[in-house]
Amino acid sequence: MDCLFCKIISGEIPSSKVYEDEYCYAFRDINPQAPVHILVVPKCHIESADVICGGNSLYVAKVFEAIPKIAASESLSEGYRVITNIGKHGCQSVKHLHFHILGGKQLSEKMD
Ligand code: AMP
């Protein structure tokens, strides 16, 4: 499968890893939008949050178990934001489910 994030998970494409376990992989975004900008991805290919179902939701749950650990390791004690973009209107550019962790500064209230 020609998927950028599958290639990052396998190591075929290099990344700046911050966390890894059996179910997920986290790395620094190449174009950071905040002082801390990390992407957390499930190790199985799920196209987006729009196709989460009983058959793959364990991976999603494990991603959300990893997020607080990553936030703690990045000293995000004042808070942070988790975002996932879906499809064209959501401006999803990589078709492998990923959650952006943004933090390290006061983020804007604006959501769009
Ligand atoms: P999205 O627009 O929600 O699909 O987010 C995709 C994210 O992947 C963007 O924030 C990109 O900056 C990031 N990105 C694309 N290629 C790479 C890469 N090779 N390493 C790290 N982050 C990447």
Side-chain angles (χ1 to χ4, degrees):
M1 187 182 299
D2 191 27
C3 168
L4 174 63
F5 288 172
C6 283
K7 288 178 179 168
I8 284 178
I9 293 163
S10 72
E12 187 181 337
I13 291 177
S15 65
S16 176
K17 179 171 101 171
V18 297
Y19 176 87
E20 181 174 18
D21 64 29
E22 185 184 346
Y23 296 94
C24 63
Y25 186 83
F27 54 102
R28 296 193 191 281
D29 196 292
I30 205 167
N31 181 24
Q33 304 298 308
V36 175
H37 187 171
I38 291 165
L39 301 174
V40 194
V41 303
K43 283 189 170 174
C44 70
H45 184 85
I46 301 171
E47 183 162 316
S48 78
D50 194 48
V51 295
I52 294 170
C53 63
N56 60 31
S57 60
L58 174 62
Y59 282 83
V60 182
K62 294 294 184 182
V63 164
F64 275 87
E65 287 181 33
I67 285 172
K69 296 179 197 170
I70 296 164
S73 73
E74 296 290 320
S75 304
L76 299 179
S77 57
E78 296 297 316
Y80 55 95
R81 184 169 288 160
V82 177
I83 295 172
T84 190
N85 295 323
I86 302 167
K88 179 172 175 286
H89 280 189
C91 296
Q92 181 183 5
S93 61
V94 180
K95 303 294 187 272
H96 181 127
L97 177 63
H98 52 283
F99 295 90
H100 299 254
I101 300 176
L102 294 156
K105 69 170 187 180
Q106 178 62 57
L107 300 171
S108 138
E109 288 184 3
K110 203 166 180 301
M111 292 297 283
D112 67 346

